[in-house]
Amino acid sequence: MTPRERLLARIGDINDFDRPRPMVTLREFFEGNDDPASIGYNLPGEPEPAEFYRLLTAIAAKPAVLDVRIEVKDLEDPDGWPSTDSIWIVTTASLETARTWFPDHLAPDEWYERAAIGVEEPVEPVPVPPGAHALCAWYD
């Protein structure tokens, strides 16, 4: 099974609005992904998924970061890669600190802070331990 086939099997029918949107790991989303339309597609210069993968892997390795997930939103092209506009970071760091982790050319359009994942948004729940919070980096 290819990485794309594994991801598609994992996310199921992305158009089934009765189920929460998948919250996949970095590896699930990026392994084998070379589709610039999958993430950051509205950013100038159309950054490659590999650039996001390097950035998010570095963020995930920070001591204050407990998890990084990709919220899969759509599969516009049946032959393409599923896409996202939301990156979730479970962290003990402040929002102001997290903003500094993104270079200007990969900076999200908006940030959202939540005490839990899967309560306010229709997404798969992701554990957020006491003392941590969830930050959503959103791309328009």
Side-chain angles (χ1 to χ4, degrees):
M1 187 178 286
T2 68
R4 181 178 178 279
E5 290 168 337
R6 277 194 300 275
L7 179 59
L8 291 176
R10 158 74 172 87
I11 66 174
D13 181 2
I14 197 68
N15 295 317
D16 179 358
F17 299 109
D18 291 330
R19 62 186 288 268
R21 286 189 300 274
M23 296 286 282
V24 301
T25 66
L26 296 179
R27 184 175 181 171
E28 287 174 314
F29 188 78
F30 288 106
E31 186 178 281
N33 181 358
D34 63 359
D35 184 351
S38 67
I39 186 168
Y41 41 84
N42 289 330
L43 293 174
E46 292 185 342
E48 293 293 321
E51 187 173 6
F52 271 99
Y53 193 21
R54 284 189 299 275
L55 170 66
L56 297 175
T57 299
I59 290 172
K62 293 184 177 298
V65 175
L66 306 167
D67 200 357
V68 178
R69 297 291 179 111
I70 303 296
E71 179 182 342
V72 179
K73 293 276 182 110
D74 202 358
L75 181 61
E76 291 181 23
D77 177 358
D79 297 322
W81 203 267
S83 63
T84 186
D85 61 10
S86 301
I87 299 165
W88 289 86
I89 303 168
V90 178
T91 184
T92 57
S94 68
L95 173 56
E96 292 75 28
T97 297
R99 286 178 197 267
T100 68
W101 297 339
F102 287 76
D104 288 344
H105 73 287
L106 296 180
D109 295 296
E110 300 285 338
W111 286 90
Y112 302 99
E113 186 171 5
R114 301 286 189 258
I117 298 175
V119 176
E120 293 183 49
E121 291 81 16
V123 299
E124 293 174 346
V126 174
V128 178
H133 55 178
L135 301 175
C136 178
W138 181 76
Y139 295 84
D140 185 15

